[in-house]
Amino acid sequence: MIVDCAIYRDGERTETPQDFSDALAEARARGDSFLWIGLYEPTEREFDLVTDEFGLHPLAVEDALTAHQRPKLEVYDDSLFVVLKPVTYEPKSDTVTSGELMIFIGDSFVVTVRHGTPSPLGDIRRHLEEQHEMLKHGPTGVLYSISDAIVDHYLEVATELQTDLEELETEVFSPSGGGSRHTASRIYTFKRQILEFRRATAPLSLPMTKLAGVGPYGSGVTVPFVRTEARPFFRDVNDHLTRVNESVEGLDRLVSDVLNAHLAQMSVRQNDDMRKISAWAAMAAVPTLIAGIYGMNFDHMPELHWLWAYPAVIMLMVLLELSLYRTFKRRGWM
C-alpha cells in the first residue's frame, strides 16, 4: 500500500500528485523538485504501477517485494537501490527485532519500500518537512537522513545491549544467581540477539564506504544519483557505523566469555558437590564395614564375648567418623 506520496520543491512539500508519470516529468523539468513515494509491504500488483512509471530494474523490484535481504547497495542504469535494516530492542524480553527498508533513488525521485514493524521512516519524513534544509539537496538528502537516523539508532541499541550484558554478568558472578539452570539459556538467547543485530550492521559497512568515498572499495568511486558534495556527511554516518560494529564485536566476545565463565562455575560447583558426596560416602563406609564384619555370625571373633565389646565398637565408629569429618573439613570437601 502507498503510505505517503508528495512532490518536494526547493525543500518544501507542495502537493500530492494524482499521476506519477506527470509528477515525475514535472519534477525533472523544473530541476529543483523531486517525487517521494513511500510504500509498506506492497503486493506485486501494487508495485507494478510504480515499476512501470519509474523504470525500476526487475531484479531490484524482486528484492523489494521478496524482502529478507542483506543490507547492500546496487547500481542500475536508471536507479540506485539501497537496502537498510532498522532494528529495535525490547529490554524486558531481551529481543532484537529487525525490519527492512528498501530505497530506490533516481533522477528526481525517491521510492521507499518497508517491511516489518521497526521503521523510523515516518518520523524522518516529518522531521525533514519541518527542517527542510536537507530536502533542498533532493534524493541525496533523503538517503543521508534515512541512513543517519538508522545508524544513530544502532548506537542506542548497542548501548542498551551493553547495559543488559552488564546485568547478566552481575547475575552470573553473583554467589547465588550464577548456578541457576536458566542462566545458560539466557546467555545463549542474548547471544542470538547480538547475532541478529550483527546481521543488520555488519553488511552495511561496504555500502557506506562507497557512499562516503573511503576505503579500498569507495575511494575514487562515484555513486550515481548521489551528489559528490554529500560524501562528508556519509563519512560521518560511516564513522558511527564503525563504532557500532566495534561495539557489536566486543559484545559478542564478552557474551562468549560470560558463557564460558558460567560453564566453568557450573563445573566447579559439580566438582564441589562430588567431593561432598564422596566425603559422606567415605564416612558412611566405615561404620558399615565394622558392622558388616561383626554381622558375619562367626563363633570365634576377637572380643565377641567381651562385656564391653559393643560400646567399644560404637566408640571406635564415633572416633573414626570424627577423624574423617575433621580431615575432610580441613581439606574443604565439606
Side-chain angles (χ1 to χ4, degrees):
M1 60 178 291
I2 297 178
V3 179
D4 201 352
C5 178
I7 295 177
Y8 295 89
R9 182 174 296 119
D10 195 27
E12 298 282 353
R13 180 169 182 149
T14 58
E15 58 184 298
T16 301
Q18 299 297 324
D19 183 85
F20 296 155
S21 181
D22 293 343
L24 183 60
E26 179 184 350
R28 286 174 172 170
R30 291 184 59 91
D32 61 348
S33 306
F34 71 95
L35 177 64
W36 184 357
I37 301 175
L39 301 100
Y40 175 70
E41 296 184 356
T43 63
E44 185 174 353
R45 185 175 180 180
E46 291 172 338
F47 206 55
D48 283 342
L49 300 174
V50 177
T51 302
D52 294 338
E53 294 294 341
F54 297 96
L56 304 179
H57 197 279
L59 292 177
V61 171
E62 181 182 355
D63 289 345
L65 290 173
T66 307
H68 304 294
Q69 304 295 318
R70 287 164 54 90
K72 60 182 179 179
L73 182 150
E74 294 181 351
V75 178
Y76 297 100
D77 293 337
D78 298 323
S79 63
L80 179 70
F81 181 57
V82 181
V83 179
L84 303 172
K85 293 180 75 70
V87 300
T88 56
Y89 180 61
E90 292 295 335
K92 293 183 179 179
S93 59
D94 295 340
T95 303
V96 173
T97 306
S98 63
E100 289 188 45
L101 181 58
M102 288 79 166
I103 308 171
F104 294 88
I105 291 181
D107 183 14
S108 301
F109 73 84
V110 177
V111 178
T112 54
V113 182
R114 62 186 180 93
H115 294 265
T117 303
S119 175
L121 197 56
D123 294 336
I124 293 172
R125 188 189 280 257
R126 285 190 292 271
H127 177 73
L128 286 173
E129 290 175 356
E130 293 171 359
Q131 308 291 332
H132 52 264
E133 285 298 321
M134 190 59 66
L135 284 174
K136 292 182 179 180
H137 298 282
T140 301
V142 174
L143 177 60
Y144 162 72
S145 298
I146 294 174
S147 303
D148 185 56
I150 290 177
V151 172
D152 282 349
H153 191 62
Y154 286 166
L155 289 169
E156 297 176 9
V157 172
T159 301
E160 292 176 356
L161 286 171
Q162 181 66 45
T163 300
D164 284 356
L165 178 58
E166 291 173 357
E167 295 176 358
L168 191 58
E169 283 181 312
T170 302
E171 177 183 340
V172 168
F173 293 106
S174 65
S176 58
S180 172
R181 62 182 179 178
H182 301 294
T183 303
S185 176
R186 280 197 60 197
I187 297 173
Y188 182 75
T189 301
F190 193 81
K191 190 173 180 65
R192 292 285 301 175
Q193 303 313 311
I194 293 176
L195 177 60
E196 181 69 22
F197 188 33
R198 176 185 282 176
R199 288 173 180 166
T201 63
L204 189 57
S205 294
L206 182 58
M208 280 300 143
T209 55
K210 289 182 178 180
L211 291 170
V214 297
Y217 298 101
S219 181
V221 176
T222 301
V223 180
F225 309 108
V226 176
R227 296 183 179 181
T228 305
E229 57 268 24
R231 284 186 172 182
F233 295 93
F234 284 108
R235 280 201 293 269
D236 181 66
V237 177
N238 186 57
D239 289 342
H240 290 177
L241 181 62
T242 301
R243 287 172 52 195
V244 170
N245 284 326
E246 290 174 350
S247 179
V248 171
E249 290 293 333
L251 287 171
D252 188 56
R253 288 194 299 269
L254 282 174
V255 171
S256 297
D257 291 342
V258 169
L259 180 58
N260 292 333
H262 172 68
L263 295 177
Q265 281 184 327
M266 295 298 293
S267 179
V268 169
R269 286 194 175 100
Q270 288 176 354
N271 290 336
D272 290 340
D273 293 340
M274 288 302 298
R275 286 189 298 181
K276 291 178 181 178
I277 293 172
S278 299
W280 285 111
M283 292 176 64
V286 171
T288 302
L289 176 63
I290 297 175
I293 291 174
Y294 279 90
M296 290 190 292
N297 298 321
F298 289 106
D299 289 333
H300 302 286
M301 294 183 68
E303 296 87 23
L304 186 63
H305 301 288
W306 183 37
L307 179 63
W308 301 99
Y310 179 74
V313 170
I314 296 298
M315 183 60 66
L316 177 62
M317 290 182 183
V318 172
L319 290 175
L320 290 173
E321 290 294 295
L322 289 175
S323 177
L324 288 173
Y325 180 81
R326 290 186 61 186
T327 301
F328 292 141
K329 191 73 174 178
R330 187 167 55 250
R331 293 185 177 182
W333 285 33
M334 301 187 69

